[in-house]
Amino acid sequence: QVQVVESGGGAVQPGGSLRLSCAASGFTFSSSAMHWVRQAPGKGLEWLAFISWDAKTIYYADSVKGRFTISRDNSKNTLYLQMNSLGVEETAVYYCAKDRPSSWCLEYWGQGTLVTVSS
Amino acid sequence: QSDLTQPASVSGSPGQSITISCTGTTSDIGAYNHVSWYQQHPGKAPKLIIYEVINRPSGVSDRFFGSKSGYTASLAISGLQAEDEADYYCSSYTTSTTWVFGGGTKLTVL
């Protein structure tokens, strides 16, 4: 079955960096676009970034543009999110999600990884 | 890009029907039919329940019904069941090549 599993979360100081990973299985990752979304504690969902199957098309939310980088390694079935200059307000559960082809929506979500930004 | 606007909470009794609205702008809901809805139970990941305004993924109950008029989308749930109690989020693709979510609606089954 389709599965995406996030990892790499943890505690980081304000201004610090962290790289999240998302391991995919159960579908053809190399043909699938992917997203990152986050959810602060007790808050709603915030879309962060999109990457096409071949990494030639990448979009970011304004809130993370220039600080976050989405990337992928199709040989490893893995999606990444490099996060720099983190602020305390970015404490959240970070989800990766598979895009549904030609439907502009997030079809399958992982369970998320918690990032805590605190001094 | 601002969030889409949803009511903070709705409630209904078992067997009843409820509707959750999601208001956007001409740059998102009003521009495309790329509206989706997600259900999230406490401590769980979101689950896609409606895509492209009206479509249900395989395995999603036909008690969930999506619609759109102008720049407002709606999710209707009929025959409410206890298991429907969850948070619901709408989302839309935008003319800025981004995605935007609503603030979420907490559904309580009385």
Side-chain angles (χ1 to χ4, degrees):
Chain A
Q1 73 279 21
V2 173
Q3 196 169 12
V4 290
V5 179
E6 303 90 342
S7 62
V12 61
Q13 292 190 334
S17 299
L18 208 57
R19 189 177 84 154
L20 306 182
S21 299
C22 171
S25 60
F27 64 99
T28 306
F29 179 77
S30 58
S31 301
S32 300
M34 301 291 293
H35 300 259
W36 285 101
V37 175
R38 69 186 175 190
Q39 185 171 34
K43 301 298 185 182
L45 302 171
E46 181 186 11
W47 176 83
L48 299 177
F50 165 91
I51 186 169
S52 62
W53 65 273
D54 57 358
K56 290 184 177 180
T57 300
I58 289 176
Y59 304 133
Y60 294 102
D62 287 345
S63 59
V64 304
K65 197 176 297 183
R67 297 186 301 116
F68 287 16
T69 302
I70 189 172
S71 63
R72 63 190 300 156
D73 185 337
N74 286 345
S75 69
K76 295 182 178 179
N77 285 355
T78 302
L79 176 73
Y80 302 101
L81 185 68
Q82 175 68 43
M83 305 185 296
N84 299 329
S85 302
L86 285 162
V88 294
E89 70 281 3
E90 297 182 291
T91 292
V93 173
Y94 285 71
Y95 295 100
C96 73
K98 175 188 177 297
D99 184 78
R100 184 180 176 101
S102 303
S103 299
W104 290 268
C105 65
L106 289 69
E107 185 175 29
Y108 294 105
W109 299 58
Q111 288 303 306
T113 186
L114 177 62
V115 172
T116 302
V117 186
S118 173
S119 55
Chain B
Q1 182 66 48
S2 300
D3 288 355
L4 305 174
T5 301
Q6 298 181 232
S9 63
V10 297
S11 62
S13 300
Q16 287 187 335
S17 298
I18 62 96
T19 299
I20 300 171
S21 62
C22 172
T23 302
T25 69
T26 54
S27 297
D28 38 64
I29 294 177
Y32 307 110
N33 285 329
H34 304 325
V35 177
S36 50
W37 289 88
Y38 303 86
Q39 177 191 61
Q40 186 180 34
H41 288 106
K44 300 295 187 181
K47 173 188 174 185
L48 176 67
I49 56 173
I50 295 287
Y51 66 96
E52 293 293 275
V53 178
I54 62 171
N55 298 290
R56 284 184 303 274
S58 174
V60 173
S61 171
D62 59 4
R63 297 185 298 105
F64 293 91
F65 179 81
S67 62
K68 189 188 97 166
S69 177
Y71 47 87
T72 296
S74 297
L75 173 70
I77 309 175
S78 61
L80 272 178
Q81 300 179 0
E83 68 204 47
D84 299 331
E85 186 161 295
D87 293 327
Y88 292 83
Y89 295 90
C90 60
S91 177
S92 176
Y93 180 67
T94 82
T95 56
S96 300
T97 61
T98 61
W99 279 257
V100 63
F101 284 96
T105 298
K106 180 178 180 59
L107 169 61
T108 301
V109 180
L110 302 171

